[in-house]
Amino acid sequence: MAEDRFKVRVAVLAIIQMDNKVLLQKRINTGYMDGFYDLGAAGHLESGESLKMAMQREIKEELGVIVKLENINFVSIVHKKDVESGLEYMYVYFKVKNFTDKPSIMEPNKNAALQWFDLNDLPANLISDRQTVLNNPTNDSFYDEFGWNL
C-alpha cells in the first residue's frame, strides 16, 4: 500500500514592476492579512496547471492583464508556517515583464486598492515575507523560511 505523503499548499505571487515601482494590492475580505498590502496578484495553484500557468491565470483573474508564459520568471520561494493557524505554504514568487494592458481591480470584494509604490518607500503594512522577497534579488537569496522558530 502506498504511503500517504504530506501535502503542502502552494500559492503563486506576482512581482509586477515598472521603473523603480512595484504594484501592490490592499487585501480585504480574504480572511488572511486583511488591511495589509500584498503583491499585485496572488493565488493558489490548481490541479492540472504548472506554477507559471497558475500565475498567468491569477494575473488575468485579479488584474485583467494577459501575460505570456515566457514573460513570467521565477524569483524566489518561501516556505512559511503560519504561527496562528499552523498552516504551511510554499509561496512561489515570479517577476512579470512585458505586459501591455493597464492593471485594474477585477475582484473588488477582495482588493480595496491597487497602487504603485516606490521600491525604496514601501508601505509599513506590507506582508512581511513579501517585503523580504522584494529585497532578495539584490541580496542573491532565492529561498526563505518564516514561522518555523528555528
Side-chain angles (χ1 to χ4, degrees):
M1 185 165 104
E3 184 179 335
D4 189 27
R5 303 276 184 199
F6 171 73
K7 294 175 179 63
V8 66
R9 293 158 188 82
V10 178
V12 292
L13 299 100
I15 300 172
I16 301 171
Q17 288 181 243
M18 190 179 310
D19 301 319
N20 198 43
K21 296 184 183 224
V22 63
L23 185 65
L24 301 179
Q25 63 170 293
K26 193 169 189 179
R27 300 177 66 90
I28 56 169
N29 303 319
T30 67
Y32 178 73
M33 303 299 288
D34 290 331
F36 281 74
Y37 279 95
D38 201 346
L39 293 175
H44 293 92
L45 177 69
E46 294 180 359
S47 179
E49 64 185 3
S50 72
L51 291 166
K52 282 186 166 188
M53 291 166 63
M55 189 77 274
Q56 182 184 50
R57 175 184 50 76
E58 289 291 346
I59 292 167
K60 184 178 180 192
E61 287 176 2
E62 295 183 12
L63 302 174
V65 174
I66 297 172
V67 178
K68 293 180 181 179
L69 291 176
E70 61 263 25
N71 293 326
I72 299 171
N73 298 299
F74 173 78
V75 172
S76 184
I77 191 165
V78 170
H79 190 191
K80 185 173 182 178
K81 182 176 181 180
D82 186 78
V83 290
E84 291 180 20
S85 69
L87 295 176
E88 295 180 33
Y89 270 89
M90 293 298 264
Y91 290 135
V92 183
Y93 292 80
F94 292 95
K95 189 171 278 189
V96 178
K97 62 180 183 175
N98 296 332
F99 60 93
T100 55
D101 303 321
K102 181 181 176 190
S104 302
I105 296 174
M106 303 303 287
E107 297 177 328
N109 58 321
K110 296 180 184 178
N111 184 347
L114 194 59
Q115 187 174 343
W116 293 96
F117 285 89
D118 189 289
L119 284 166
N120 297 314
D121 190 23
L122 296 169
N125 61 337
L126 176 60
I127 299 172
S128 63
D129 55 278
R130 280 49 160 179
Q131 170 75 55
T132 299
V133 171
L134 287 173
N135 292 332
N136 277 352
T138 59
N139 295 332
D140 291 332
S141 175
F142 303 102
Y143 175 78
D144 278 300
E145 295 178 346
F146 286 85
W148 293 98
N149 300 323
L150 300 175

